[in-house]
Amino acid sequence: MKSAVETLNPTRVRLTVEVPFEELKDSLDAAYKKINQQVTVKGFRKGKIPARVIDQRFGRGAVLEEAVNDALPKFYTEAVNEAELDPLGQPEVDITELKDGETLNFTAEVDVRPALEIPDYSGIEVEVDAVEVTDEDIEKSVEQLRERFASTSPVERAAEDGDVVTIDLEAKVDGEVLEDGIANGVSYTIGSGELLDGIDDAVKGLEAGGEATFTSELKGGSAAGKESEVTVKVTQVAARELPELDDDFAQLASEFDTLDELKADSRKRLANMKQFDQATQAQERVLEKLLELVEVPVPEKLLEDEVNTRKHNLEHHQLGQMGLDLAKYLEIQGKTAEEFETETREAAVKGIKTQFVLDELVKKEQLNVSQEELTEHLMRRAASSGMSPDQFAQAVVEGGQVPLLVGEVARGKALAVVVEAATVKDTNGEIVDLDDEDEETETEAAEASETSEENAEG
């Protein structure tokens, strides 16, 4: 077999392959054997039909077609390996010549990973938010905890902001009560925004036994998205009572004996959260700077596949679980279809570039992924997916996704190398030491390129 490579553009090549006919012998034998098992000829036992009889009865062309279909993947793979290519996706194959007993010639066009030059990245500088925990932050945190321990007690007065009302609801569309439009005994905190638009204004001022009617767009159910006439009846008004902020509250709501200890713990916890956010912000901004340094051509076919995958996942998974379609989602987001298309394409381009650049860094820095690192990453992914580690691991293995996870970990390590080499300052001008950053921080690199790699491997 002889092969040659022609570069069509930085991300696409054409392989020209010439195969001497004798190299098709194994595939021809396999083709005759396969046809033998599929057909019957009077006078011959199944599987024992001579090749010349098959040629006479079914045509030599059918045998050649079967043999070529069997052989092409093998010869294509040999040509790819010989040229040391890194193909993306499936090739477009064209048989240019097939002469029985003489030769098989074909071409294969395929997208390939572009050759990248990673420049010196040690000069990258980024600015991140300073880690500052204010007294106001502490008060807000403690107040949220206090809200969780609030109690309620019925009152005989009109409902006000912050009250918990027990209500019955009836929704009509076009004058007809919906089958799923009746709900009784619903508990609702006025001002929480957890039910229907307009319900707060409707129930405020009502006492137990009072009712009101308002118009609102339904958020779920059989008539989701439609305007509905909703009747709400208040059956009880209860005032929320917050516990006193003292040492007794600290003992009730935490493991601490005093309010001061509780506040000190809140300060430490908030500082840790802000440090986590700061580390993530540093990763994101260093990645952006790195991508600006590298010229990365993007294969058009891979880009289209990535855009379509992102759209499909949004429409059929994320929005489907929320009971929304794309049109309603865009309306809520205040975006046009054109804006959505542009943003999706930009995100896809960034994801592909991220994968290419970080994968190149993995090779350049000779980074390896240990079993321990892979296991830790698997545990985090399992937790975020809501599956047990065993269930997630089984799904990964059965789906052949282990290389994907290895790639995610390796890219995370590559980005960590760049972050470590970069200069990171906070908004106060202080150098930020990220050596102690949380090891569980999921890098943007892994998330941005996950879908891209699935397409590339396809």
Side-chain angles (χ1 to χ4, degrees):
M1 185 195 83
K2 294 193 303 183
S3 64
V5 181
E6 177 188 357
T7 300
L8 303 177
N9 62 49
T11 62
R12 193 165 180 83
V13 299
R14 179 189 291 123
L15 284 164
T16 301
V17 184
E18 297 179 11
V19 183
F21 204 80
E22 57 266 22
E23 293 187 30
L24 281 172
K25 183 180 184 307
D26 289 346
S27 293
L28 279 169
D29 291 344
Y32 279 116
K33 186 175 182 180
K34 181 176 180 180
I35 294 173
N36 242 307
Q37 299 301 320
Q38 295 174 337
V39 301
T40 56
V41 175
K42 190 174 180 179
F44 296 96
R45 285 182 296 164
K46 196 173 185 66
K48 299 295 183 180
I49 307 169
R52 59 179 175 77
V53 174
I54 290 177
D55 289 346
Q56 292 169 356
R57 287 294 186 92
F58 306 102
R60 173 71 167 178
V63 179
L64 287 175
E65 182 180 355
E66 181 67 39
V68 168
N69 288 338
D70 174 74
L72 276 177
K74 179 184 70 172
F75 292 127
Y76 165 73
T77 301
E78 286 181 12
V80 165
N81 292 337
E82 186 178 287
E84 297 183 345
L85 299 177
D86 193 351
L88 302 169
Q90 297 302 313
E92 295 179 7
V93 177
D94 181 26
I95 297 174
T96 55
E97 187 176 26
L98 175 58
K99 288 186 178 180
D100 194 358
E102 294 184 28
T103 186
L104 163 66
N105 298 337
F106 68 92
T107 62
E109 288 190 18
V110 67
D111 287 332
V112 293
R113 283 178 181 264
L116 301 181
E117 286 293 330
I118 306 295
D120 180 17
Y121 47 78
S122 61
I124 291 178
E125 293 187 13
V126 298
E127 183 180 75
V128 294
D129 294 337
V131 174
E132 296 175 345
V133 180
T134 66
D135 290 342
E136 184 180 345
D137 292 332
I138 304 300
E139 296 303 324
K140 183 178 179 181
S141 174
V142 173
E143 191 62 29
Q144 289 173 342
L145 184 61
R146 188 182 179 206
E147 291 276 353
R148 286 169 50 192
F149 284 85
S151 59
T152 58
S153 57
V155 292
E156 294 183 4
R157 60 164 172 77
E160 301 172 354
D161 265 329
D163 285 345
V164 179
V165 289
T166 304
I167 53 177
D168 297 335
L169 295 166
E170 181 185 84
K172 294 181 180 178
V173 173
D174 298 329
E176 297 291 330
V177 178
L178 299 171
E179 288 187 14
D180 55 355
I182 297 176
N184 296 320
V186 177
S187 180
Y188 175 66
T189 301
I190 300 175
S192 66
E194 293 174 351
L195 278 178
L196 298 167
D197 293 338
I199 193 169
D200 289 339
D201 291 337
V203 297
K204 276 191 291 188
L206 295 181
E207 297 184 23
E211 68 177 55
T213 300
F214 64 101
T215 302
S216 183
E217 183 178 298
L218 298 178
K219 295 181 179 180
S222 61
K226 292 185 177 180
E227 287 291 320
S228 172
E229 183 182 84
V230 182
T231 299
V232 55
K233 180 177 181 180
V234 176
T235 58
Q236 179 181 277
V237 179
R240 298 177 77 249
E241 298 175 358
L242 298 174
E244 290 293 326
L245 278 178
D246 53 22
D247 293 346
D248 288 339
F249 168 70
Q251 294 166 22
L252 170 69
S254 72
E255 70 270 30
F256 301 105
D257 293 326
T258 68
L259 185 60
D260 286 342
E261 289 175 335
L262 173 59
K263 288 184 176 181
D265 180 70
S266 294
R267 183 178 294 277
K268 181 180 178 181
R269 207 163 28 81
L270 289 171
N272 288 338
M273 290 171 60
K274 293 196 174 189
Q275 285 172 344
F276 180 95
D277 292 341
Q278 186 188 62
T280 303
Q281 192 178 61
Q283 287 182 326
E284 292 171 351
R285 294 184 178 178
V286 168
L287 176 60
E288 288 172 3
K289 291 281 190 179
L290 177 64
L291 294 180
E292 290 173 6
L293 292 176
V294 188
E295 185 68 32
V296 187
V298 175
E300 191 60 35
K301 176 68 165 59
L302 181 62
L303 176 58
E304 293 305 319
D305 289 345
E306 172 74 347
V307 169
N308 291 334
T309 298
R310 287 172 181 257
K311 288 179 181 176
H312 178 84
N313 288 341
L314 176 66
E315 290 188 62
H316 299 280
H317 298 295
Q318 295 160 271
L319 296 184
Q321 293 175 355
M322 298 162 61
L324 297 174
D325 59 17
L326 183 59
K328 186 61 183 176
Y329 168 76
L330 294 180
E331 181 184 331
I332 294 171
Q333 294 292 315
K335 294 177 183 175
T336 65
E338 291 75 17
E339 289 171 337
F340 169 72
E341 182 74 28
T342 298
E343 289 180 6
T344 303
R345 183 166 290 268
E346 288 175 350
V349 168
K350 183 178 180 181
I352 293 170
K353 287 185 174 182
T354 295
Q355 180 190 330
F356 285 172
V357 171
L358 294 182
D359 283 349
E360 189 66 30
L361 264 170
V362 169
K363 289 192 292 185
K364 180 179 179 179
E365 302 293 345
Q366 298 182 328
L367 301 175
N368 296 311
V369 176
S370 69
Q371 184 61 49
E372 182 182 0
E373 290 169 331
L374 182 60
T375 301
E376 288 176 359
H377 185 67
L378 187 146
M379 298 279 281
R380 292 196 294 271
R381 287 291 303 274
S384 65
S385 69
M387 300 170 69
S388 73
D390 287 344
Q391 288 175 322
F392 187 79
Q394 183 178 352
V396 166
V397 172
E398 291 178 353
Q401 304 295 299
V402 173
L404 280 179
L405 260 64
V406 172
E408 289 176 14
V409 178
R411 285 191 286 277
K413 293 180 71 171
L415 182 55
V417 169
V418 183
V419 172
E420 185 178 350
T423 299
V424 182
K425 293 182 179 180
D426 66 19
T427 47
N428 294 329
E430 299 292 328
I431 296 289
V432 177
D433 183 5
L434 295 172
D435 288 345
D436 296 328
E437 72 180 72
D438 192 333
E439 291 183 359
E440 294 185 2
T441 299
E442 288 284 349
T443 69
E444 180 181 324
E447 296 176 353
S449 62
E450 181 182 343
T451 307
S452 301
E453 179 160 307
E454 291 173 0
N455 287 334
E457 296 296 329

